Amino acid sequence: MSANRPITIDREVEAPAAAVWEVLADGWLYPLWVVGAARMRDVDDDWPAVGTRLHHSVGNWPVLLDDRTEVLEVLPLRALRLKAHAWPGGAAEVEIAIEDLGARSRVSIREDAVEGPGVLLPKPLRQLVIGPRNREGLRRLAFLAEGRGSPRRPRRG
């Protein structure tokens, strides 16, 4: 891996690519899988079209900051490139890719700071924080997609 490239975290998901995309395309689900997002305030009508935004809050109550995430590029069912703002920390660019494996899929995420104080930290140090956060985010995304893409299991007890 190049020292100039952010690390890529990937995960195999026991759901088809369409189920993963369904979660990504529902902006109201953002705080359920994005670590640090606390709540949604609004979702632009055409989400996830290029230029549309999610209006969310980050942090924990009572210290919540209102911010936004904007779509930079979209390939439906395959990829989403976002610019996530996190004042006062700046902004990060996030690339999410979905590989269709039939009944399963592989999802990868790559993120790095692009604006603000975060870019002042050495990239290896930034990635020490970003990597585990994205690993957990993919785990949450997988749970949501697997719940949508699999037949419902009967509840026990």
Side-chain angles (χ1 to χ4, degrees):
M1 177 178 74
S2 165
N4 291 328
R5 293 201 54 170
I7 62 169
T8 299
I9 305 296
D10 67 332
R11 180 184 179 104
E12 198 161 298
V13 178
E14 296 297 323
V20 174
W21 184 257
E22 212 177 287
V23 174
L24 295 175
D26 185 344
W28 291 101
L29 296 178
Y30 190 77
L32 296 180
W33 66 271
V34 174
V35 176
R39 65 180 177 205
M40 291 306 301
R41 299 185 333 275
D42 196 17
V43 176
D44 287 0
D45 289 339
D46 292 335
W47 176 268
V50 172
T52 59
R53 294 178 174 185
L54 297 176
H55 306 272
H56 53 82
S57 300
V58 297
N60 289 308
W61 187 88
V63 181
L64 290 167
L65 301 172
D66 290 345
D67 249 312
R68 69 193 182 283
T69 293
E70 179 179 353
V71 177
L72 301 176
E73 185 177 352
V74 61
L75 296 168
L77 298 170
R78 295 184 24 216
L80 194 56
R81 190 165 61 93
L82 307 169
K83 186 172 186 180
H85 297 265
W87 185 92
E93 194 167 298
V94 181
E95 298 174 22
I96 303 167
I98 308 166
E99 181 183 354
D100 186 356
L101 303 174
R104 298 180 343 276
S105 54
R106 178 172 291 110
V107 183
S108 64
I109 188 167
R110 182 175 26 223
E111 175 182 352
D112 201 12
V114 293
E115 292 177 9
V119 297
L120 300 175
L121 291 173
K123 188 170 284 198
L125 186 57
R126 289 193 308 257
Q127 293 300 307
L128 281 175
V129 174
I130 293 170
R133 187 172 80 72
N134 284 340
R135 186 168 287 107
E136 172 62 17
L138 279 183
R139 186 173 80 92
R140 294 176 185 188
L141 178 62
F143 288 156
L144 290 166
E146 289 166 356
R148 287 173 176 241
S150 304
R152 298 281 182 210
R153 297 180 195 131
R155 291 187 180 183
R156 295 182 187 189

